[in-house]
Amino acid sequence: MISERQIIRVDKEVTPIHYTKRTEPELKIGADYYVCFGNNIAYPCVLKEIIEGRNRRVVITKFDNEHNSSENVVFSNEIGRTPEEAVHNTATF
């Protein structure tokens, strides 16, 4: 489990890649990941559920700090195992 659930600012040299070039990390329910919604800020999250289908999605619990969390649904290739990978896979709206 991620020991500190704080947001992480990733170096501006790390940039998002086009959605067609994203890669899905190995998915495991209960595992720790990071998600980025823009501005090179990575949020720690925990994978809660995998939603199978044509475009596989995942349900995550995203942490803004140790006490605030929210549940989000994103595509499975919009999370990463590291903050840098999360920025590469930045979620698109």
Side-chain angles (χ1 to χ4, degrees):
M1 189 163 260
I2 298 171
S3 61
E4 291 192 28
R5 292 187 167 153
Q6 303 292 328
I7 61 172
I8 298 169
R9 173 143 323 258
V10 177
D11 188 280
K12 65 180 180 179
E13 299 297 317
V14 179
T15 59
I17 59 175
H18 193 269
Y19 76 93
T20 59
K21 296 183 183 194
R22 291 187 204 144
T23 57
E24 176 184 279
E26 181 180 339
L27 301 175
K28 182 178 179 191
I29 293 175
D32 295 322
Y33 296 89
Y34 293 89
V35 65
C36 178
F37 294 105
N39 298 324
N40 283 43
I41 297 172
Y43 296 89
C45 61
V46 174
L47 180 62
K48 290 185 67 178
E49 179 183 351
I50 299 169
I51 303 169
E52 296 293 343
R54 188 172 140 240
N55 294 317
R56 187 164 23 175
R57 294 172 291 146
V58 293
V59 179
I60 58 170
T61 300
K62 175 182 75 82
F63 298 93
D64 291 332
N65 60 44
E66 294 205 23
H67 303 291
N68 295 330
S69 64
S70 63
E71 196 167 280
N72 297 270
V73 177
V74 296
F75 289 107
S76 59
N77 65 356
E78 292 180 328
I79 60 175
R81 296 296 282 166
T82 65
E84 293 78 14
E85 186 178 30
V87 170
H88 287 306
N89 294 341
T90 294
T92 54
F93 302 95

